[in-house]
Amino acid sequence: MARAAAVVPTPSGPAERPVPEQPGGPALRPADSPADADAAGARSEAHRESRERRRLRAAVLVLVSVVLLGAVPLFFGLRTLSRDPVFDNLDQLDVPGWAAAKTVDDVSGSRWCLLDCRLRERTVTSEKAPAETAQAYEKALRQDGWQPWKVSRCPEQETKGSYTCWRRDELTLDLWVREPTCVPPPVDGEPAVPSADPSAAATECTGSLVSVKVRNAIDDERTRPQPATDPSLTGEDPYPTVSGDPLGELTPSPS
């Protein structure tokens, strides 16, 4: 009768104990290798640089937006303060190119009439005769909404050429077109004497000269009631004649 083979227990090492779980967190793991630590550090550095680039880009965009939003209104504001809109309106007059060959502007006074109201003066050189030049400017003024203004003291004194006055809204305009004042160039450093020969003057001096003067209507004395006499002759309006009895007839008192 066969005997059952005896079971011999296989020798083994000591049993492994489970790693106890730390309270509030997962079980501890063995430390990473040096290569894994370097890779994690590189990834962290890359994320940090990416965040810095994004912040720098956003800061640049904000700065550019602020500059654009502030510089554009500032530019147009300074341009408006430095450039009188009346001159811009005169630039838009529909006159031929030959009627505005050369333009010189001058301005004085305050735009807000603090002490003196603003006076705008423009001198224009035209290449054609005064009559044709005056017709071109008067047509352009009518097209721009200016109305002829028939008023005394227009001009203030007798002048040669064509002198007309105009009004539009709160402005008045004086237009004077005349022959140019041509002075011969100096000879050897000394001023030349104008020739007495009319034909020689006609060949050397051609075209016409245009003067435009624009004022505020409230500052133009011609918009106010005018005296009966010309102040340029008397200096001031004479006193009205008074009667012999300055008190007039006495009013009888009630009895």
Side-chain angles (χ1 to χ4, degrees):
M1 185 172 183
R3 305 175 86 179
V7 179
V8 180
T10 303
S12 59
E16 295 182 356
R17 298 181 179 179
V19 179
E21 183 178 353
Q22 298 294 330
L28 295 177
R29 295 183 179 179
D32 296 334
S33 64
D36 295 339
D38 293 342
R43 286 194 299 270
S44 177
E45 183 67 18
H47 289 313
R48 186 180 64 82
E49 292 179 356
S50 177
R51 286 196 301 270
E52 290 181 356
R53 285 196 296 269
R54 286 197 297 268
R55 290 183 188 141
L56 181 59
R57 191 181 299 112
V60 170
L61 291 177
V62 171
L63 181 60
V64 171
S65 302
V66 171
V67 170
L68 291 179
L69 293 177
V72 173
L74 180 61
F75 169 76
F76 286 104
L78 293 177
R79 182 181 178 184
T80 302
L81 292 177
S82 60
R83 177 67 175 176
D84 195 301
V86 173
F87 289 124
D88 293 336
N89 183 263
L90 294 178
D91 292 338
Q92 297 174 2
L93 289 177
D94 188 15
V95 295
W98 53 260
K102 182 180 179 181
T103 301
V104 178
D105 292 336
D106 188 22
V107 62
S108 60
S110 170
R111 185 181 300 181
W112 297 276
C113 295
L114 297 179
L115 293 177
D116 296 324
C117 288
R118 176 155 290 191
L119 173 63
R120 302 95 169 169
E121 295 180 283
R122 166 169 289 189
T123 304
V124 185
T125 301
S126 174
E127 298 176 351
K128 294 193 177 182
E132 189 173 359
T133 301
Q135 183 179 3
Y137 273 89
E138 291 175 5
K139 179 181 178 181
L141 287 173
R142 287 189 177 92
Q143 292 177 349
D144 197 44
W146 292 89
Q147 298 296 327
W149 185 28
K150 303 297 182 179
V151 63
S152 60
R153 300 167 59 187
C154 175
E156 300 283 346
Q157 56 187 2
E158 293 297 329
T159 57
K160 296 181 180 180
S162 172
Y163 199 106
T164 54
C165 297
W166 305 76
R167 284 199 66 172
R168 194 188 73 173
D169 301 330
E170 74 281 2
L171 300 174
T172 64
L173 183 146
D174 289 31
L175 175 66
W176 182 23
V177 184
R178 73 272 188 194
E179 294 182 354
T181 304
C182 297
V183 179
V187 179
D188 297 333
E190 298 293 333
V193 179
S195 175
D197 186 3
S199 61
T203 56
E204 296 176 358
C205 188
T206 59
S208 56
L209 195 62
V210 182
S211 293
V212 180
K213 182 168 59 176
V214 182
R215 288 179 285 186
N216 293 59
I218 59 173
D219 191 50
D220 195 332
E221 297 178 354
R222 296 171 298 180
T223 61
R224 307 167 190 168
Q226 300 298 310
T229 57
D230 189 353
S232 63
L233 302 178
T234 61
E236 59 181 350
D237 193 28
Y239 292 105
T241 305
V242 295
S243 60
D245 184 5
L247 299 179
E249 297 182 0
L250 297 178
T251 303
S253 59
S255 55

